Amino acid sequence: MNTAYFYLTDEGGKLAHKLAAAHPGDIYNKENFKENLRAGFGRYDSLVCIMATGIVVRILAPLIVHKTSDPAVVVLDQKGKYAISLLSGHLGGANDLAREMAVISGGEAVITTATDVTGELSFDTFAKKHDMAIENIGQLKHISGALLSGKKVNVFTDKNAAELYPELAKEQKRGMIAILPLSEFFKTYAIESNIPAVVIDERLFVSNSTVPQAAPVLYLRPRTICAGIGCKRNMEQKPIEEALLQTLKEEGIHPFSLKCIATIPLKSDEPGIIGTAANLNVPLQIIPTEEIKNLDISQLGIQTSEFVANQTGVLSVSTACSYLASSKGTILRDKAKYKGITIALSKERS
């Protein structure tokens, strides 16, 4: 997470340097301050402003888009008495950043999000902590509202939720949530159940278009799927992206469950692969050729190609890359072939 500090006074500057010594980031003084703060809104993950809250609000208000994309904004007074979580408290991490800044400055964090104040589980914070994408962010307020009102929420997942997610186990003991297997989802909601629900799953078969609208249902997609891509030189982005999405669809996997796209060093500069990763908002991971050569390809049952080996120096590109990117997890799809493109999918270990 890259951070920027902004200050207007000498005392604020001293505090900025103190904070940055413990939590590194770029520091900006009052020179061209408005322009730098506006530019920083789109450049940094976190903005720490040592000045009056009103100044920050007036400058940044026109730039605010949505809590899923806006950076975390924390405001401190120049003495560091208070660290206010101003924007993107949960998904952006401003609440945690405010707490951290308060510890460093010796002050007090000011958190106003309702779930934090009441101590209720916040599913956007939960999703961020466990690297899950939120498919339908608009439903989050209904789930949070239900918990704040003391209403029970059903959580459906095929994972060992109580073991993997201690927060859910804690809430289940309190009686605030019920953890249920995914197989119970359609049985429960086919009869217009009005109990709010959270679904945790990578698969497409659970979709917000297939259940009644009586109850809000929030879909969390764990980012566990690593896609390996191989292609001919100078392939365009559109066919690569379409091939990847088609492969995900055939395997019944939601695109939001993508954790990364992986390829070999020889393809690291392919605009089509780079553009696909950027458009799907996932990192591009380059797998060292030597790691692929060290794999026991035959034991893994991976399809090989002498032609590919002659061109790239390795017997497998897409499948080997997806497998290694998943930390040698489970191969879900071995080399799906398209015109000039190969796609493979692996799921990382739980």
Side-chain angles (χ1 to χ4, degrees), residues 98 131-132 139 152 179 189 212 235 254 270:
D131 195 21
M132 299 177 185
Q139 294 297 316
K152 192 172 185 177
I179 301 175
Y189 288 84
M235 288 291 296
H254 198 284
E270 284 289 342

Side-chain angles (χ1 to χ4, degrees), residues 215-231:
V217 181
L218 180 71
Y219 295 88
L220 304 183
R221 306 298 184 181
R223 296 186 181 97
T224 61
I225 307 301
C226 299
I229 299 182
C231 68

Side-chain angles (χ1 to χ4, degrees), residues 74 85 87-90 92-100 109-113 116 125:
V74 172
S85 173
L87 188 66
S88 294
H90 286 158
N95 287 358
D96 289 337
L97 183 61
R99 294 184 184 103
E100 182 183 354
V110 179
I111 311 294
T112 58
T113 42
D116 289 86
T125 301

